[in-house]
Amino acid sequence: SGGSTAYPGTALQSGYYWIRAVESPNFHQYLQTSPEYVAGPAILSSYTTAGQFNVVDGQLVELTAGGVLYGNVQVQANSSVTKLGLTFSTTQNSYGTFSWSGDALQWSVASITRPNLSAWLVCEEQHLYINLGAYDYLTPAGCADETIHYYNAATASD
Ligand SMILES: *[C@@H]1O[C@H](CO)[C@@H](O)[C@H](O)[C@H]1NC(C)=O
Ligand SMILES: *[C@@H]1O[C@H](CO)[C@@H](O)[C@H](O)[C@H]1NC(C)=O
């Protein structure tokens, strides 16, 4: 696709950021949903369809024409679960807190001790997960280790 012309589109809106990975094989792949701006799983994909985000009061919010969507974290079912899915929804997240550390997006929750709060995984169909393990250690099959960062250029690019 050549990217959406729908709001907020390809010009960065005030108060929002692009969020992109910086490690191979997802270097400069951008946070979004598919289709764009619609509730559903968080993925990393082309700059042409990048979403616009910020962290507000511990919520990861995505700007859409109809208001904002919230990044909802899958609750850890038991201690053997090592990655947590992220889905955008009209409902606020009630599990843990998002924050920036420098330009890196982090997530934390009191009930889980994470070795690296900036550790993410990109797995099947480019779905984004919170990595509860260490960065680049015991990477689950089919996944790639990533850190994801805000980027505030007027337009996203690869
Ligand atoms: C932990 O939860 C996962 C996901 O729900 C499940 O597949 C797995 O069987 C559970 N493991 C244990 C030990 O309960
Ligand atoms: C988390 O992992 C990233 C990527 O390797 C690294 O840059 C960062 O320093 C790590 N943070 C901690 C607290 O280990």
Side-chain angles (χ1 to χ4, degrees), residues 1-5 9-10 36 46-50:
S1 121
S4 175
T5 54
T10 55
E36 297 164 88
S46 168
Y47 71 92
T48 63
T49 46

Short mmCIF file of all heavy atoms in Angstrom, two decimals, residues 1-5 9-10 36 46-50:
data_model
loop_
_atom_site.label_atom_id
_atom_site.label_comp_id
_atom_site.label_asym_id
_atom_site.label_seq_id
_atom_site.Cartn_x
_atom_site.Cartn_y
_atom_site.Cartn_z
N SER A 1 0.84 -1.19 0.00
CA SER A 1 0.00 0.00 0.00
C SER A 1 0.87 1.23 0.00
O SER A 1 2.01 1.21 0.47
CB SER A 1 -0.93 -0.03 1.21
OG SER A 1 -0.74 1.10 2.04
N GLY A 2 0.39 2.32 -0.47
CA GLY A 2 1.14 3.56 -0.50
C GLY A 2 0.95 4.37 0.75
O GLY A 2 1.39 5.51 0.83
N GLY A 3 0.30 3.77 1.75
CA GLY A 3 0.06 4.49 2.99
C GLY A 3 -1.31 5.12 2.98
O GLY A 3 -1.88 5.38 1.94
N SER A 4 -1.80 5.36 4.17
CA SER A 4 -3.16 5.86 4.29
C SER A 4 -3.21 7.37 4.17
O SER A 4 -2.29 8.06 4.58
CB SER A 4 -3.72 5.45 5.64
OG SER A 4 -4.98 6.02 5.82
N THR A 5 -4.27 7.87 3.61
CA THR A 5 -4.50 9.31 3.63
C THR A 5 -5.43 9.68 4.78
O THR A 5 -5.71 10.85 4.99
CB THR A 5 -5.11 9.78 2.30
OG1 THR A 5 -6.27 9.01 2.05
CG2 THR A 5 -4.12 9.62 1.17
N GLY A 9 -2.59 10.03 9.46
CA GLY A 9 -1.83 10.02 8.22
C GLY A 9 -0.33 10.06 8.38
O GLY A 9 0.21 9.66 9.41
N THR A 10 0.36 10.57 7.38
CA THR A 10 1.82 10.46 7.30
C THR A 10 2.56 11.71 7.78
O THR A 10 3.77 11.78 7.67
CB THR A 10 2.25 10.14 5.86
OG1 THR A 10 1.71 11.14 4.99
CG2 THR A 10 1.74 8.77 5.42
N GLU A 36 -4.53 -0.05 9.59
CA GLU A 36 -4.12 1.08 10.42
C GLU A 36 -5.27 1.63 11.25
O GLU A 36 -6.40 1.68 10.77
CB GLU A 36 -3.68 2.26 9.53
CG GLU A 36 -2.48 2.02 8.65
CD GLU A 36 -2.42 3.09 7.59
OE1 GLU A 36 -1.82 4.14 7.86
OE2 GLU A 36 -2.99 2.89 6.50
N SER A 46 5.79 -1.45 7.82
CA SER A 46 6.35 -0.38 6.99
C SER A 46 6.08 1.03 7.56
O SER A 46 5.01 1.30 8.11
CB SER A 46 5.74 -0.46 5.60
OG SER A 46 6.03 0.71 4.87
N TYR A 47 7.03 1.92 7.31
CA TYR A 47 6.86 3.34 7.68
C TYR A 47 5.65 3.96 6.98
O TYR A 47 5.09 4.94 7.46
CB TYR A 47 8.13 4.13 7.36
CG TYR A 47 8.39 4.36 5.89
CD1 TYR A 47 7.93 5.51 5.25
CD2 TYR A 47 9.09 3.44 5.13
CE1 TYR A 47 8.16 5.73 3.90
CE2 TYR A 47 9.33 3.64 3.78
CZ TYR A 47 8.86 4.79 3.17
OH TYR A 47 9.08 5.00 1.84
N THR A 48 5.24 3.40 5.84
CA THR A 48 4.13 4.00 5.08
C THR A 48 2.80 3.86 5.80
O THR A 48 1.85 4.57 5.46
CB THR A 48 4.02 3.38 3.68
OG1 THR A 48 3.72 1.98 3.81
CG2 THR A 48 5.29 3.57 2.88
N THR A 49 2.73 2.93 6.76
CA THR A 49 1.48 2.69 7.49
C THR A 49 1.68 2.83 9.00
O THR A 49 0.91 2.29 9.79
CB THR A 49 0.92 1.29 7.14
OG1 THR A 49 1.99 0.33 7.22
CG2 THR A 49 0.33 1.26 5.75
N ALA A 50 2.72 3.58 9.39
CA ALA A 50 3.05 3.74 10.80
C ALA A 50 1.93 4.46 11.56
O ALA A 50 1.35 5.42 11.07
CB ALA A 50 4.35 4.53 10.94
#
